[in-house]
């Protein structure tokens, strides 16, 4: 019985990958006022960004309930003896804690290990994909833990923001707050380091910001995975994919939209590139 | 005095319904306290939503035994837990339910056991339990309840009183235990929420339902004042005008009507109450308007108006003084409040006033170098005539000095923007020099005397234009000069034009010039910034 892999909706995994590799996704929640939606399930990306820009109430996000995790674990436990959950940075969200606590609520007996990915979006997604593939190939849970931990330093990302306002509102801005309050219009570039948001650069124009993302990914000597994600700016993403296709096969670049939970903290206009590889 | 020796399942449910209503009244304030573990300002709302789910499920209990009701509540909390605080709350309720299993009603001794179990569950749930949070509060409550029962016996009202008192003290003490609270000058939000829930339950037991309708839970105030604002500030803490709160007493007051009337007057509107008394809470820019409207409906009581922008301004001031967290400092030379703001906002540690015709002395620069807390200092002179002065500073200080020889304000800004937080000093100097070379600078000023340079005949006081320091254009007015100069540049490769207008220049003129350029070159990003610089009517950066 292969190990089953669980992750959260923030990993932004494309649906076909989820299906192909049999990954279980636990949704975080997005809340507008007192209306609660499950990330990517009750609210599509299109509906969400439409609402984000028109709604008077700003959305907030919350962790999945322990019951959601426990139910999912129990369901998988019918088919396997070992479960691996790879969860977004514990410094950005309490989801990691909930995923761990929920083990105690399981009705079935099954070994569950939870790993803090120290990242989010497809950088987290790559860890999940690599683990799910290895699990299919017959790797044990202990072997998978080694694989994930070995891959954590090999994933990285850069994100160009239109505004840091949403990140600030949501309280996840970290050291990137040095970019706030600029008297000039700048396009901030953000990365994640040790699980927290960090500033990576600032550009005076959107074109320069996109160029920054390109140079970041193109600077790798060896690339295994690449993803370009966007929040309501598909044209910019197309442009970036086109440029990156000289460095990495275009058909292997995952192209996705960030989920509502990520969108809540970034706002529209986010463009990011995530990679797994060696510099 | 009223005594209660046992509580039935039905009473347990009603007790927590009252507690949920009580929590609802202060959930927004609890949101505002929220700085730990993630300051996302929704702790109160999350606890409230968790309690609502808890109580919905409580009504689905198969019978009215305390066992069935508490089990149902634990299930509702578990499935509906929102946020970190909601999750801990659900653990607490699970603890109670485990202890109340098989029981028709519960006594003080059962409560003691239940709370002990809650503490165990809550701590067990977290891989890294942090003191100074809800965890500490529930632990203190459990200890106090145990002490009360062993000394005074089984009256549940006295027991709950001791629980609420202990919770209040424990919440007030949270800043002593958790640094992030101490720095923000707040108590723990989750702990406060727990206090309010216990207090609501106690008030129900005392039969104070009527009074609860018109009162609000007490928010425990930290006695410690914020030493620094939380590194990350939460959404609901972003102030907006005046927080205006009061009680309106009248006859046949219609809450719906008040709500719809006030909805457009501000944000975070709360209108609660009945025909004779209504509590109104709103964040508004014009409290006068709200108050005169309300006064036309009845009498006003418990009036409170707080300026929330004051706090926000303090925050912005602190932002301003905050240099990027690096071991390197950057010192720039600039004149004019607007330019100073620009450099400050981009992470300059110190600004030395100076520029054209007002070159600072080596001593001025040295003082600035000594004043910053870093041992490595980069100087941006931003003027040709100041570069040499800046180069002398190194011989006068033990600190390591690098001069990035920006000769204009646009070069200085470009260099500063390129500063890399992670790179070392020498790499940064390289990056900054490179960025500096990618920008063109136009300066427009007045001729100090009549002269002739090459083909250009210049009259005294006539507008003249310099491109990277070379006089290349003159004209009848500023716009004319700028047009001529832009015509000489290849704007196809340009992305951003920033126009800093001077102290003697009207913003309307600057806007007019920029909208004309925008019309002619729609692909460009054009930004007009008040520079307040003396001497130059315009400084234009072309990137």
């Amino acid at each position: 019985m292969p190990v089953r892999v669980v992750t959260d909706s923030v990993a932004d995994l494309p649906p076909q990958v989820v299906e192909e590799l049999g990954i279980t996704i636990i949704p975080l929640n997005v809340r507008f006022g007192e209306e609660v939606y499950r990330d990517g399930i009750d609210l599509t990306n299109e509906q969400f960004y439409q609402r984000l820009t028109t709604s008077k109430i700003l959305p907030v996000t919350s962790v999945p309930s322990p019951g959601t995790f426990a139910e999912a674990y129990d369901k998988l436990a019918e088919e396997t003896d070992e479960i691996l959950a790879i969860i977004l940075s514990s410094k950005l969200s309490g989801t990691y804690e909930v995923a761990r606590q929920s083990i105690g609520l399981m009705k079935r007996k099954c070994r569950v290990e939870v790993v803090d990915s120290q990242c989010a979006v497809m950088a987290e997604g790559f860890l999940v994909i690599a683990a799910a593939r290895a699990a299919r190939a017959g790797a044990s849970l202990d072997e998978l833990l080694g694989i994930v931990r070995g891959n954590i330093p090999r994933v990285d990302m850069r994100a160009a923001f239109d505004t840091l306002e949403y990140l600030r509102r949501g309280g996840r801005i970290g050291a990137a707050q040095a970019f706030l309050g600029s008297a000039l219009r700048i396009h901030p570039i953000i990365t994640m380091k040790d699980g927290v948001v960090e500033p990576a650069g600032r550009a005076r124009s959107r074109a320069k910001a996109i160029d920054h993302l390109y140079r970041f990914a193109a600077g790798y000597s060896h690339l295994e995975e690449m993803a370009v994600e966007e929040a309501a700016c598909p044209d910019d993403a197309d442009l970036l994919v086109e440029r990156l296709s000289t460095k990495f096969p275009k058909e292997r670049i995952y192209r996705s939209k960030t989920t509502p939970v990520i969108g809540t903290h970034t706002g529209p206009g986010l463009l990011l590139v995530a990679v797994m590889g060696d510099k | 005095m009223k005594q209660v020796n046992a509580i039935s399942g039905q009473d347990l449910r009603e007790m927590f319904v009252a507690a949920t209503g009580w929590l609802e009244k202060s959930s927004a304030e609890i949101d505002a306290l929220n700085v730990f573990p993630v300051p996302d300002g929704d702790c109160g709302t999350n606890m409230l939503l968790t309690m609502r789910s808890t109580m919905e499920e409580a009504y689905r209990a198969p019978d009215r035994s305390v066992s069935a009701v508490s089990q149902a509540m634990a299930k509702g909390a578990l499935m509906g837990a929102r946020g970190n605080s909601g999750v801990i709350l659900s653990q607490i309720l699970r603890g109670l339910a485990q202890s109340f299993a098989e029981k028709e009603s519960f006594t003080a001794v059962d409560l003691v056991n239940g709370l002990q179990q809650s503490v165990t569950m809550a701590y067990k749930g977290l891989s890294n339990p942090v003191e100074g949070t809800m965890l500490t509060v529930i632990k203190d409550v459990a200890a106090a309840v145990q002490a009360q029962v062993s000394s005074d016996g089984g009256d549940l009202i006295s027991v709950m009183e001791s629980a609420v008192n202990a919770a209040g003290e424990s919440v007030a003490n949270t800043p002593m235990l958790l640094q992030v609270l101490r720095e923000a000058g707040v108590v723990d939000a989750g702990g406060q929420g727990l206090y309010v829930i216990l207090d609501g339950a106690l008030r129900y037991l005392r039969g104070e339902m009527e009074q609860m309708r018109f009162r609000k839970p007490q928010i425990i105030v930290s006695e410690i004042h914020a030493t620094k604002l939380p590194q990350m500030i939460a959404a609901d803490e972003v102030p907006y005008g005046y927080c205006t709160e009061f009680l309106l007493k009248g006859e046949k007051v219609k809450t719906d009507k008040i709500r719809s009337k006030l909805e457009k007057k501000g944000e975070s509107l709360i209108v609660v109450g009945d025909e004779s008394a209504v509590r109104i809470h709103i964040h508004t820019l014009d409290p006068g308007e709200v108050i005169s409207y309300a006064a036309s409906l009845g009498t006003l009581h418990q009036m409170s108006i707080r300026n929330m922008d004051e706090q926000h301004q303090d925050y912005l001031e602190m932002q301003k003084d905050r240099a990027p967290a690096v071991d390197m400092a950057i010192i720039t030379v600039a004149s004019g409040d607007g330019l100073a703001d620009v450099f400050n906002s981009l992470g300059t540690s110190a600004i030395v006033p100076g520029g054209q015709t007002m070159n600072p002395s080596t001593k001025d620069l040295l003082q600035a170098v000594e004043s910053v807390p870093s041992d490595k200092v980069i100087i941006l002179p931003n003027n040709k005539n100041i570069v040499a002065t800046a180069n002398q500073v190194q011989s006068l200080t033990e600190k390591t000095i690098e001069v990035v020889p920006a000769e204009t304000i646009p070069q200085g800004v470009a260099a500063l923007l390129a500063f890399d937080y992670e790179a070392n000093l020498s790499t940064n100097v390289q990056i900054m020099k490179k960025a500096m070379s990618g920008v063109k600078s136009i300066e427009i000023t007045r001729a100090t005397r009549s002269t002739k340079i090459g083909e250009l005949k210049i009259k005294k006081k006539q507008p003249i234009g310099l491109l990277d320091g070379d006089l290349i254009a003159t004209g009848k007015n500023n716009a004319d000069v700028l047009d001529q100069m832009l015509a000489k540049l290849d704007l196809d490769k340009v992305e951003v034009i920033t126009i800093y207008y001077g102290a003697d220049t009207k913003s309307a003129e600057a806007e007019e010039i920029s909208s004309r350029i925008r019309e002619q070159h729609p692909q460009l990003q054009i930004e007009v910034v008040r520079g307040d610089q003396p001497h130059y009517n315009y400084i234009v950066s072309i990137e």
Side-chain angles (χ1 to χ4, degrees):
Chain A
M1 283 178 293
V3 181
R4 298 297 297 268
V5 178
V6 174
T7 187
D8 51 69
S9 57
V10 169
D12 278 342
L13 288 174
Q16 59 274 23
V17 176
V18 172
E19 198 179 332
E20 182 200 325
L21 296 173
I23 298 162
T24 301
I25 309 281
I26 304 296
L28 276 76
N29 304 299
V30 178
R31 177 160 68 72
F32 282 91
E34 289 179 5
E35 293 169 42
V36 182
Y37 299 94
R38 285 172 299 167
D39 192 27
I41 298 178
D42 303 326
L43 195 62
T44 67
N45 287 322
E46 284 71 19
Q47 288 165 336
F48 171 75
Y49 287 109
Q50 162 79 16
R51 211 162 156 188
L52 182 66
T53 41
T54 56
S55 170
K56 264 194 271 177
I57 316 168
L58 283 164
V60 293
T61 57
S62 63
V63 297
S65 71
T68 319
F69 269 105
E71 272 182 8
Y73 293 156
D74 273 330
K75 188 149 179 280
L76 291 174
E78 292 171 14
E79 300 164 21
T80 184
D81 301 326
E82 294 181 313
I83 297 172
L84 171 66
I86 300 170
I87 304 297
L88 84 142
S89 167
S90 62
K91 290 179 183 146
L92 290 187
S93 164
T95 307
Y96 170 74
E97 277 301 335
V98 177
R100 288 187 70 261
Q101 282 176 23
S102 311
I103 299 170
L105 306 173
M106 290 175 69
K107 295 195 181 72
R108 287 175 167 271
K109 257 190 128 58
C110 177
R111 181 176 167 213
V112 182
E113 291 288 341
V114 183
V115 182
D116 179 354
S117 72
Q118 295 174 39
C119 53
V121 295
M122 276 296 275
E124 178 192 349
F126 293 146
L127 301 175
V128 177
I129 291 173
R133 283 193 184 131
R136 290 226 140 178
S140 69
L141 183 48
D142 289 320
E143 285 165 340
L144 289 181
L145 285 171
I147 291 172
V148 176
R149 292 197 178 118
N151 278 335
I152 287 176
R154 299 180 67 234
V155 296
D156 202 355
M157 57 153 305
R158 292 287 184 278
F161 282 65
D162 250 8
T163 167
L164 293 179
E165 186 53 25
Y166 293 89
L167 203 57
R168 182 184 68 82
R169 281 177 200 274
R172 266 83 171 177
I173 191 158
Q177 73 164 352
F179 284 179
L180 288 175
S182 168
L184 291 182
R185 185 171 144 73
I186 58 162
H187 295 257
I189 307 192
I190 297 300
T191 185
M192 279 187 68
K193 208 173 158 191
D194 301 328
V196 293
V197 170
E198 292 257 331
R202 42 193 175 184
R204 274 294 266 149
S205 68
R206 182 76 175 173
K208 288 248 165 42
I210 296 174
D211 192 53
H212 188 118
L213 301 189
Y214 167 77
R215 280 184 287 120
F216 157 73
Y220 273 72
S221 62
H222 168 70
L223 282 166
E224 271 166 37
E225 299 274 20
M226 185 184 287
V228 171
E229 298 183 58
E230 46 96 8
C233 57
D235 295 348
D236 287 350
D238 286 342
L239 199 80
L240 182 58
V241 168
E242 211 48 56
R243 284 190 69 187
L244 285 169
S245 62
T246 59
K247 300 283 171 190
F248 194 74
K250 191 175 169 183
E251 65 281 1
R252 283 182 53 204
I253 302 178
Y254 292 98
R255 177 65 208 281
S256 61
K257 283 188 194 298
T258 54
T259 66
V261 163
I262 289 290
T264 298
H265 294 288
T266 64
L270 173 84
L271 178 67
L272 72 87
V273 59
V275 294
M276 180 156 92
D278 304 296
K279 280 193 175 154
Chain B
M1 236 180 48
K2 193 178 164 189
Q3 280 226 355
V4 176
N5 292 320
I7 291 175
S8 70
Q10 192 169 358
D11 271 336
L12 174 71
R13 191 165 65 197
E14 295 311 318
M15 215 165 104
F16 275 95
V17 167
T20 306
W22 199 230
L23 179 64
E24 184 166 5
K25 290 190 174 191
S26 62
S27 67
E29 282 159 291
I30 296 172
D31 283 349
L33 292 175
N34 193 185
V35 293
F36 180 87
V38 183
D40 45 8
D42 59 1
C43 179
T45 310
N46 281 332
M47 288 181 84
L48 178 60
L49 290 173
T50 305
M51 280 311 295
R52 284 200 186 145
S53 167
T54 304
M55 298 327 295
E56 270 172 34
E57 200 59 41
Y59 282 98
R60 295 198 192 107
D63 58 59
R64 289 178 180 181
S65 70
V66 78
S67 169
V69 172
S70 63
Q71 301 287 349
M73 284 172 59
K75 183 181 167 207
L78 179 63
M79 294 313 291
R82 306 241 172 260
N84 300 293
S85 51
V87 171
I88 298 173
L89 184 59
S90 75
Q91 298 282 82
I92 291 172
L93 291 169
R94 279 184 72 211
L96 287 179
Q98 285 175 4
S99 163
F100 295 166
E102 318 276 308
K103 290 193 161 62
E104 197 57 36
S105 60
F106 74 87
T107 63
V109 173
D110 295 330
L111 184 61
V112 169
N113 295 336
L115 286 170
Q116 291 297 350
Q117 187 63 14
S118 295
V119 174
T120 311
M121 296 298 297
Y123 273 84
K124 205 172 78 181
L126 295 167
S127 60
N128 179 24
V130 175
E131 295 297 342
T133 64
M134 276 173 85
L135 292 175
T136 313
V137 176
I138 191 69
K139 186 177 72 185
D140 291 348
V141 166
V145 165
Q146 185 161 39
Q148 169 70 23
V149 173
S150 45
S151 68
D152 262 356
D155 171 28
L156 276 155
I157 293 184
S158 314
V159 170
M160 280 303 288
E161 273 166 358
S162 70
V164 171
N165 290 338
E169 278 168 30
S170 184
V171 170
N173 192 45
T174 53
M176 303 307 294
L177 299 174
L178 191 54
Q179 190 184 349
V180 57
L181 301 176
R182 196 154 60 237
E183 285 168 352
V186 295
V187 299
D188 179 62
Q192 171 71 50
L194 191 58
Y195 165 77
V196 171
I197 291 171
L198 292 170
D199 187 42
L202 169 64
R203 283 168 191 272
Y204 171 82
L205 283 183
R206 282 186 184 152
E208 296 177 354
M209 296 303 286
E210 192 59 27
Q211 291 97 310
M212 283 171 87
R213 288 166 70 195
F214 305 118
R215 296 187 59 181
K216 278 190 80 172
Q218 184 198 354
I219 295 292
I220 294 161
V221 181
S222 166
E223 284 175 9
I224 299 165
H225 292 285
T227 53
K228 73 173 192 200
L229 281 152
Q231 203 194 21
M232 308 176 271
I233 194 156
D236 292 0
E237 287 176 326
V238 176
Y240 179 74
Y242 299 88
C243 174
T244 308
E245 260 187 295
F246 53 90
L247 188 67
L248 165 64
K249 287 187 185 167
E251 282 173 20
K252 296 192 179 160
V253 181
K254 293 193 176 70
T255 51
D256 288 350
K257 199 176 153 204
I258 298 176
R259 198 173 293 122
S260 66
K261 182 86 181 175
L262 293 182
E263 234 162 35
K264 293 190 189 95
K265 305 281 184 214
E267 290 184 354
S268 307
L269 175 66
I270 303 173
V271 180
V272 289
D274 60 17
E275 286 192 334
S276 57
V278 179
R279 177 161 283 283
I280 296 169
H281 166 277
I282 187 168
H283 296 170
T284 177
L285 291 173
D286 187 355
E289 213 182 350
V290 174
I291 291 162
S292 35
Y293 166 70
S296 71
L297 303 173
T299 57
L300 308 182
H301 308 263
Q302 300 171 13
M303 178 82 67
S304 144
I305 301 174
R306 283 179 299 127
N307 182 339
M308 298 183 295
D309 289 333
E310 254 173 30
Q311 294 166 301
H312 192 50
Q313 274 309 317
D314 292 349
Y315 174 71
L316 290 182
E317 282 303 317
M318 293 192 67
Q319 282 283 340
K320 239 181 175 175
D321 295 340
R322 231 189 82 96
V326 287
D327 60 347
M328 285 171 271
I330 301 168
I331 290 174
T332 52
V333 181
S335 287
D337 289 348
L339 290 181
D341 277 350
V342 168
F343 281 111
N344 265 328
S345 75
L346 297 176
T348 298
S349 300
I351 291 184
V352 178
Q356 190 67 12
T357 73
M358 324 168 274
N359 298 347
S361 66
T362 313
K363 191 178 153 215
D364 294 336
L365 291 174
L366 179 64
Q367 271 176 356
V369 165
E370 299 297 350
S371 77
V372 296
S374 317
D375 290 335
K376 297 171 193 154
V377 182
I378 296 173
I379 303 177
L380 290 169
N382 301 336
N383 188 293
K384 208 175 185 168
N385 302 330
I386 304 172
V387 177
T389 319
N391 281 329
Q392 292 187 346
V393 176
Q394 179 65 86
S395 61
L396 301 169
T397 177
E398 286 180 359
K399 293 187 176 185
T400 310
I401 307 292
E402 287 281 356
V403 177
V404 173
E407 295 186 351
T408 62
I409 293 289
Q411 286 182 359
V413 170
L416 185 54
L417 274 167
F419 181 81
D420 184 339
Y421 290 78
E422 291 181 355
N424 61 24
L425 184 65
S426 62
T427 314
N428 258 316
V429 171
Q430 278 176 24
I431 299 173
M432 290 170 85
K433 280 184 179 166
K434 184 161 172 275
M436 196 179 88
S437 66
V439 58
K440 290 203 173 304
S441 313
I442 290 175
E443 292 154 318
I444 295 177
T445 182
R446 307 274 148 179
T448 48
R449 59 192 166 84
S450 299
T451 185
K452 187 167 182 265
I453 298 174
E455 295 297 300
L456 291 175
K457 267 190 214 163
I458 300 157
K459 285 187 212 135
K460 192 174 174 184
K461 291 197 176 167
Q462 197 181 11
I464 50 171
L466 298 96
L467 177 65
D468 290 329
D470 299 326
L471 204 169
I472 62 155
T474 177
K476 33 184 205 305
N477 55 42
N478 294 326
D480 177 33
V481 174
L482 186 55
D483 279 350
Q484 289 183 43
M485 298 182 77
L486 290 176
K488 291 182 188 178
L489 294 170
D490 178 8
L491 292 182
D492 286 346
K493 286 184 187 143
V494 172
E495 287 167 353
V496 186
I497 293 185
T498 314
I499 302 172
Y500 304 92
Y501 61 93
D504 302 328
T505 310
K506 292 205 166 59
S507 67
E509 188 192 84
E511 287 296 342
E512 209 178 288
I513 289 177
S514 78
S515 57
R516 242 202 13 258
I517 303 174
R518 216 168 269 142
E519 263 171 44
Q520 290 163 2
H521 309 282
Q523 83 284 6
L524 295 177
Q525 175 187 323
I526 296 164
E527 192 170 358
V528 177
V529 178
R530 187 174 56 88
D532 292 326
Q533 70 274 13
H535 197 64
Y536 294 110
N537 294 93
Y538 292 98
I539 297 174
V540 182
S541 154
I542 297 162
E543 292 165 67

